Amino acid sequence: MAEAFIYDHVRTPRGKGKADGSLHEVTAVRLAETTLRAVQKRNGLDPKLVDDVVLGCVDPVGEASGDIARSAAIAAGFGESVPGIQINRFCASGLDAVAFGAAQVMAGQKDIVIGGGVESMSRVGMGASGMLPAVDPSVAIPSYFSPQGVAADLIATKYGFTRDDVDAFAVESHKRAAKAWAEGRFAKSVVPVRDVNGLTILGKDETIRPNTDMQTLGGLKASFAMMGEQGGFNAVAIQGHPEVETITHVHHAGNSSGIVDGAAAVLVGNKAAGRKAGLKPRARIRGFASLGSDLALVLTGPVDVTEKLLARTGMSIKDIDLIEINEAFSAVVLRYLQAFDLDPGRVNVNGGAIAMGHPLGATGAMILGTVIDELERRDLSTGLVTLCVAHGMGTAMIVERV
């Protein structure tokens, strides 16, 4: 079986996913096109060598519909010979898109693939494509369906995370992200989004609040208490975990991932094709995995899938130098740290989605790039990337520097 190498990666800045966000006037296909053009240009890559473009997109409807990967490749000038495919595993779509392409490279069916993802949450609202478990009782009842915020509060209650715990984690996320930007840690990989005149629309993540503190967050009301209590979802969640008598609601907008726009692209290929194209590998994909996890907790998949991937690769958590886990909610990361007894200094060292936002289909590819950059900056070897996934799933990938 061939090895799959990561040759490069780029991402756009994350723009606030509302009508007053800087990227609101930019369509999803333009965001994706920006990253594809950047990967091609900075590597001097002949686009005809690209066997496929695989993009994650969680709400592929309206102006993000019709196989956005193919549309973005055409818009980027890759030519008619380059195909594209859009995939969706909710929040892990961007990482799974890279894994999807890498698997075909490893199987010897393709030589060079671009994986990544895109989401314009200000223009195509979250949930625009629908959510079957929310509307079909035959699916909702056996899967203990509840909103993710209620599930996050169930995790916090079950594993003993207080309001101060989840708020303190959010404060640290903003501090780390602000420091990373101030020190230029993202400069290597973030490509600005420009208008038709070449003027920069956005060059930096838009939602970081360096002055966030415990007092500021302490003034916010829990966001999911009403839907949990009056909507009946607390009872559903407790039915899945009857050992929890009462759910304490601790999550709010300040300690949950932000709604943003953005795109990312990761250049993957085998050794021979990379050498022929004059590319220098930056990392080798050691392995990847996905699984279904606890349906009531919904968001604990990163713990389970990490265990699965470590067993598959014959590794231990001690073999991993840096970890990126998507900050869907504070409790998701706190549970991960608790489960593996991890030093927080190894995890999300440049902040995460609580500070910078979570453009659903793109985040997995974004944080994959983040861990590669940071491994290089610190002269470390091995990184793991993982995300929780709606409807009780998890996805992870391990990469090693070359």
Side-chain angles (χ1 to χ4, degrees):
M1 182 174 290
E3 291 185 311
F5 294 90
I6 294 174
Y7 289 98
D8 199 13
H9 66 87
V10 298
R11 72 169 177 92
T12 67
R14 298 163 168 106
K16 184 169 61 174
K18 296 183 179 180
D20 61 347
S22 294
L23 297 180
H24 175 61
E25 298 301 322
V26 183
T27 63
V29 73
R30 284 254 349 260
L31 292 174
E33 172 196 346
T34 296
T35 60
L36 295 182
R37 284 186 182 276
V39 164
Q40 184 272 323
K41 182 177 180 180
R42 68 194 230 159
N43 290 283
L45 178 66
D46 180 353
K48 293 180 180 179
L49 297 177
V50 177
D51 291 314
D52 211 348
V53 174
V54 188
L55 296 182
C57 185
V58 175
D59 283 299
V61 297
E63 62 188 30
S65 63
D67 188 357
I68 194 168
R70 170 65 167 168
S71 297
I74 292 171
F78 279 22
E80 64 180 24
S81 67
V82 180
I85 183 171
Q86 173 268 322
I87 68 171
N88 178 13
R89 199 194 302 272
F90 301 119
C91 299
S93 299
L95 186 62
D96 267 311
V98 178
F100 186 97
Q104 295 185 76
V105 169
M106 295 164 79
Q109 300 305 301
K110 292 179 180 176
D111 295 322
I112 294 178
V113 174
I114 297 177
V118 61
E119 211 78 41
S120 176
M121 301 180 76
S122 68
R123 298 178 65 89
V124 181
M126 183 165 59
S129 60
M131 182 62 173
L132 174 62
V135 298
D136 187 340
S138 70
V139 178
I141 293 172
S143 63
Y144 302 105
F145 175 81
S146 66
Q148 290 188 29
V150 174
D153 288 336
L154 172 62
I155 293 170
T157 303
K158 178 176 173 67
Y159 293 105
F161 307 128
T162 66
R163 172 66 182 260
D164 281 351
D165 291 334
V166 294
D167 282 357
F169 181 84
V171 170
E172 183 65 15
S173 180
H174 282 280
K175 287 182 177 179
R176 291 184 180 190
K179 182 179 180 181
W181 269 105
E183 294 182 354
R185 297 186 191 180
F186 297 127
K188 184 176 183 179
S189 303
V190 173
V191 294
V193 178
R194 305 183 189 277
D195 65 15
V196 294
N197 298 311
L199 300 176
T200 297
I201 298 173
L202 184 65
K204 181 179 178 181
D205 296 322
E206 193 170 27
T207 60
I208 302 170
R209 300 185 300 277
N211 296 322
T212 297
D213 56 28
M214 294 294 286
Q215 290 70 35
T216 302
L217 297 185
L220 300 176
K221 293 183 178 181
S223 298
F224 309 103
M226 182 174 292
M227 68 175 65
E229 295 164 3
Q230 298 182 16
F233 290 109
N234 280 2
V236 173
I238 292 172
Q239 188 177 29
H241 282 269
E243 73 277 9
V244 176
E245 295 183 0
T246 304
I247 294 177
T248 302
H249 293 280
V250 296
H251 288 91
H252 50 74
N255 55 35
S256 307
S257 55
I259 294 173
V260 294
D261 306 330
V266 180
L267 181 60
V268 179
N270 62 36
K271 184 176 291 187
R275 186 184 299 115
K276 183 177 179 180
L279 304 172
K280 182 180 179 180
R282 296 176 61 185
R284 178 174 71 94
I285 296 177
R286 179 75 180 263
F288 43 84
S290 295
L291 52 60
S293 60
D294 191 294
L295 286 163
L297 292 173
V298 184
L299 308 171
T300 53
V303 174
D304 303 322
V305 77
T306 294
E307 292 173 343
K308 177 179 179 178
L309 183 54
L310 290 173
R312 173 175 289 172
T313 55
M315 301 177 73
S316 159
I317 196 71
K318 295 179 181 179
D319 297 323
I320 307 298
D321 295 313
L322 294 175
I323 295 170
E324 285 287 323
I325 172 173
N326 186 39
E327 296 176 357
F329 300 88
S330 287
V332 173
V333 188
L334 291 174
R335 172 55 190 153
Y336 193 87
L337 292 169
Q338 181 189 69
F340 293 105
D341 191 24
L342 289 169
D343 173 4
R346 294 169 57 196
V347 180
N348 294 7
V349 296
N350 292 322
I354 288 174
M356 294 177 283
H358 175 26
L360 304 179
T363 303
M366 287 184 168
I367 63 177
L368 174 61
T370 297
V371 84
I372 293 172
D373 284 351
E374 194 63 19
L375 288 171
E376 292 174 344
R377 193 182 76 85
R378 297 187 181 211
D379 193 22
L380 297 173
S381 174
T382 307
L384 185 148
V385 179
T386 184
L387 302 92
C388 58
V389 184
H391 216 183
M393 294 182 283
T395 292
M397 178 179 288
I398 295 174
V399 295
E400 293 179 338
R401 276 183 61 204
V402 176

